[in-house]
Amino acid sequence: MITMPAGGGYDRLLARQEGPPTVEWAKALYGASVMAGVQGDLPTGTTLVEHGRTLAAQTADPLMRAFVYSADGRLGVLSGDLDHARSRLESALAQFGARGDRTLEITALTTLGTA
């Protein structure tokens, strides 16, 4: 089983972020929050999603927001807040669908189905 140390080392990674927010950072935060959730570390997942929200607020890129919404929705499922999860996942799904990214769309649909 993979485990993350306290903070998952992501605090150091995020401290090194320079320049404007990018989709790559949103993807990294998404992946890290999913890993934290899988491991049952909801506080770290929540911190990563909050950081993603901060980054997404600094840009008009809807794909960045979609990754944050998807991560937030996954955490909602894991924490039992299914109304919040559905709302966030539906927003992510709409953006992924609009882009025609079937892989991300299916991932969001699968998690939405769980919610």
Side-chain angles (χ1 to χ4, degrees):
M1 181 167 135
I2 299 170
T3 59
M4 291 188 296
Y10 294 108
D11 50 348
R12 291 175 295 194
L13 174 65
L14 296 173
R16 297 178 74 186
Q17 179 191 4
E18 296 177 1
T22 64
V23 171
E24 288 74 22
W25 273 103
K27 286 180 185 179
L29 289 167
Y30 167 81
S33 70
V34 168
M35 181 60 71
V38 166
Q39 295 180 17
D41 188 355
L42 298 184
T44 296
T46 300
T47 297
L48 292 163
V49 167
E50 288 170 1
H51 189 76
R53 277 193 210 116
T54 300
L55 288 178
Q58 298 173 29
T59 182
D61 189 332
L63 186 56
M64 286 185 66
R65 283 183 176 72
F67 276 109
V68 173
Y69 290 155
S70 186
D72 196 12
R74 284 176 140 308
L75 287 174
V77 168
L78 293 172
S79 67
D81 188 351
L82 301 183
D83 289 333
H84 179 80
R86 280 190 297 272
S87 169
R88 293 301 186 192
L89 290 164
E90 287 170 354
S91 295
L93 177 61
Q95 185 50 235
F96 294 150
R99 293 182 56 86
D101 190 323
R102 297 300 173 234
T103 302
L104 293 173
E105 193 176 10
I106 290 168
T107 300
L109 273 170
T110 302
T111 309
L112 184 57
T114 302

